Amino acid sequence: MAGNHGIHKWKWVIFFLSPSLIGLLVFMVGPLLYSLRLTLYDWNLLSDPVYVGLDNFKDLYHDAEFWASFKHTLTYIAIYTPSVLALALGVSLLLNRPLRGVAFFRAVSFVPVVSSWVVVSLMWKWIFNPRYGLLNYALAQIGITGPNWLFDPDTALYAIIIAGIWKDIGFITVMFLSGLQGIDESYYEAAKIDGAQMLQRLRHITLPLLTPTTFFALIISLINSFQVFEQAWLMPEDYARTGTSVVVEQIVNYAFRYNRMGYAAAMSWVLFAAIFAITIVQIRLQKRWVHYDL
């Protein structure tokens, strides 16, 4: 009877999960496996796929343009990730204080997150404009001649990184705010009784107890930055794109501009392998610095 009851229960579990399972299989697992198969073919979307084995990966290994885009992506990650985490932590510490109008400022901090990249790109293209942009005007007021930003291949990538950081700070701030509000006040009360100052409480209570949130924010930031695309596609001028091409942009170009679906699929799997490897390394390293209690 117990066995029949267990089977009966699992039937209902599967029944209620089936819409999500079907969606997962049709829109996630199916395309994922199909793209893996596609890496072994040369297909231009119009004719029948031609089996080429591992040739797509061999070509990718010698593709200087792809590795340049990979380097740009890694540069984006190296600057974006620590910057967005540090700035979001600072903003969340301010917004966690009982200040007047703090709810308004919390809402304002999230506005860039829900803004379209098209709108954000137009705004930042104006800010970065070397002739009439706000940023170079502000730099000129303190005697600094601003660069050409999005018009120069050497600086366009940094302009894109700044815009990406500005847009995503609010998202990471929400994570840190939830982490801060989950810290038991008794820790701070005990520290105050022992005479701990604000910076000491921050160093020995807040930051250690925020490490689970920091770890989660780090993983999300790394995955997002590996998949950077919209700003690199929308913001730079055409003659500056040599300095800003990123991996996802290359995937889109080879899939839908050059009609090399197999080659684009191979790029996608290299990107997936990089994200997977970084995530595994971070999960293994978390034991050394993530604290779930004091």
Side-chain angles (χ1 to χ4, degrees):
M1 291 295 290
N4 289 336
H5 177 72
I7 293 172
H8 184 71
K9 184 180 72 176
W10 277 108
K11 283 181 179 177
W12 281 107
V13 171
I14 293 172
F15 173 77
F16 285 112
L17 285 178
S18 57
S20 299
L21 285 173
I22 291 170
L24 182 69
L25 291 172
V26 173
F27 297 109
M28 295 287 290
V29 178
L32 190 70
L33 295 177
Y34 184 74
S35 73
L36 181 61
R37 178 175 179 270
L38 207 55
T39 61
L40 306 176
Y41 289 85
D42 184 15
W43 185 36
N44 62 6
L45 287 172
L46 300 175
S47 57
D48 292 335
V50 177
Y51 181 77
V52 294
L54 297 176
D55 284 358
N56 284 323
F57 290 102
K58 292 177 183 174
D59 292 344
L60 201 56
Y61 181 74
H62 299 288
D63 188 343
E65 190 179 16
F66 172 75
W67 292 113
S69 69
F70 206 90
K71 180 184 174 184
H72 296 153
T73 304
L74 292 179
T75 303
Y76 185 96
I77 293 168
I79 300 174
Y80 166 89
T81 304
S83 302
V84 77
L85 290 177
L87 292 171
L89 176 61
V91 173
S92 64
L93 288 171
L94 287 174
L95 296 180
N96 194 47
R97 298 178 66 82
L99 302 174
R100 187 176 182 181
V102 70
F104 170 77
F105 292 112
R106 287 177 182 175
V108 168
S109 73
F110 203 73
V111 169
V113 180
V114 296
S115 301
S116 160
W117 255 117
V118 175
V119 176
V120 172
S121 297
L122 288 173
M123 184 188 76
W124 279 99
K125 287 180 82 166
W126 170 72
I127 292 174
F128 284 126
N129 190 288
R131 289 191 293 114
Y132 54 79
L134 180 65
L135 185 54
N136 278 8
Y137 174 79
L139 291 174
Q141 301 309 305
I142 55 175
I144 298 175
T145 303
N148 287 326
W149 296 113
L150 295 167
F151 291 81
D152 186 342
D154 293 331
T155 56
L157 182 62
Y158 301 106
I160 289 170
I161 294 171
I162 292 171
I165 291 169
W166 177 84
K167 192 175 188 306
D168 292 344
I169 282 177
F171 180 61
I172 305 299
T173 296
V174 169
M175 293 185 196
F176 279 129
L177 266 176
S178 65
L180 287 170
Q181 293 176 5
I183 297 176
D184 197 324
E185 281 296 322
S186 62
Y187 290 116
Y188 295 111
E189 291 168 4
K192 287 178 183 176
I193 292 171
D194 290 340
Q197 300 300 312
M198 186 176 70
L199 288 178
Q200 291 173 314
R201 295 197 296 272
L202 174 67
R203 179 183 175 188
H204 297 292
I205 298 176
T206 305
L207 294 182
L209 286 177
L210 265 186
T211 50
T213 306
T214 307
F215 172 68
F216 180 69
L218 174 63
I219 295 293
I220 295 297
S221 300
L222 282 171
I223 292 173
N224 285 343
S225 51
F226 261 113
Q227 300 178 79
V228 56
F229 171 64
E230 293 96 335
Q231 55 270 56
W233 182 268
L234 294 168
M235 289 180 62
E237 300 299 324
D238 287 341
Y239 43 85
R241 289 188 178 280
T242 54
T244 64
S245 68
V246 290
V247 175
V248 176
E249 185 181 358
Q250 289 292 314
I251 293 171
V252 172
N253 280 335
Y254 275 92
F256 302 109
R257 180 175 291 179
Y258 310 135
N259 292 333
R260 295 186 61 187
M261 298 301 290
Y263 197 60
M267 286 183 178
S268 301
W269 275 90
V270 170
L271 179 63
F272 169 79
I275 295 174
F276 184 75
I278 292 289
T279 304
I280 292 298
V281 169
Q282 291 298 327
I283 290 174
R284 288 188 175 277
L285 290 178
Q286 67 157 325
K287 296 176 183 175
R288 299 184 181 181
W289 64 276
V290 178
H291 309 283
Y292 291 94
D293 205 351
L294 286 177

